[in-house]
Amino acid sequence: MEDWKRDAAWVLIAIIVVFIFQFGLKVALHTDSPLVIVVSGSMEPVFYRGDVVLLKGISEENIDDVHVGDVIVYKRPGYEYPIIHRVRAISEVNLGGKTEKCFLTWGDNNWAPDPEYPTPYGMVPCVPAYAVEDKALLVLPKIGLIPLEIRESLGLG
């Protein structure tokens, strides 16, 4: 009878430690999603499906930390998941009278750049700085494969 209490205590402690670790990463890296599971093969051979990527938040204040060759995460209207692709070039675009940094991106396993990005001012040939959410710091190979498979088998993504 005492064994199950000890086991339950260890499970509870492990869950608490994971939540504290996740919260600490959110605070330290300035992002709501410091760890993400790769769901597609567009970045192979750098990231494979099921890899977990550690991310650092990007905002207006630190957008200059993004350089050609970096891997960024951005939201695209109409897409369910954020996109994680490499920056191939950086330019500027005029959006409603304001000059905005813009990133030409595409996956390492893709043969062409990402499609034009829809803005309130029309389509632009790159990802505007305001759409960039994170920058990849580190990849943890395959540790997200089991949660990814479970999520997909339950029809959650």
Side-chain angles (χ1 to χ4, degrees):
M1 179 113 171
E2 293 300 316
D3 286 344
W4 76 267
K5 287 181 182 178
R6 186 179 60 239
D7 293 344
W10 278 113
V11 168
L12 183 61
I13 290 169
I15 290 170
I16 291 169
V17 167
V18 166
F19 280 108
I20 290 171
F21 180 70
Q22 177 79 354
F23 178 77
L25 285 176
K26 285 181 178 186
V27 171
L29 298 173
H30 308 286
T31 181
D32 288 335
S33 301
L35 295 168
V36 296
I37 298 173
V38 176
V39 297
S40 83
S42 69
M43 281 298 294
E44 290 179 8
V46 177
F47 305 142
Y48 290 91
R49 211 174 113 67
D51 289 353
V52 171
V53 181
L54 178 68
L55 303 174
K56 172 187 175 185
I58 295 295
S59 65
E60 236 179 82
E61 290 79 37
N62 66 348
I63 194 71
D64 290 334
D65 290 351
V66 177
H67 306 286
V68 171
D70 288 343
V71 176
I72 60 170
V73 176
Y74 68 93
K75 290 266 179 141
R76 183 177 177 86
Y79 281 64
E80 181 180 358
Y81 296 108
I83 297 167
I84 182 165
H85 281 169
R86 188 173 308 281
V87 174
R88 304 300 179 137
I90 302 173
S91 60
E92 292 183 343
V93 293
N94 186 321
L95 296 176
K98 180 182 173 197
T99 300
E100 179 101 24
K101 215 173 221 192
C102 208
F103 303 92
L104 179 67
T105 60
W106 74 82
D108 289 0
N109 197 30
N110 295 350
W111 59 273
D114 295 343
E116 289 190 326
Y117 192 93
T119 75
Y121 309 101
M123 301 297 277
V124 293
C126 46
V127 179
Y130 70 78
V132 177
E133 295 186 339
D134 300 292
K135 175 180 168 177
L137 298 178
L138 176 72
V139 62
L140 306 165
K142 301 296 177 201
I143 65 171
L145 203 49
I146 293 171
L148 180 63
E149 293 296 329
I150 292 170
R151 208 168 76 194
E152 288 177 348
S153 69
L154 294 174
L156 301 174

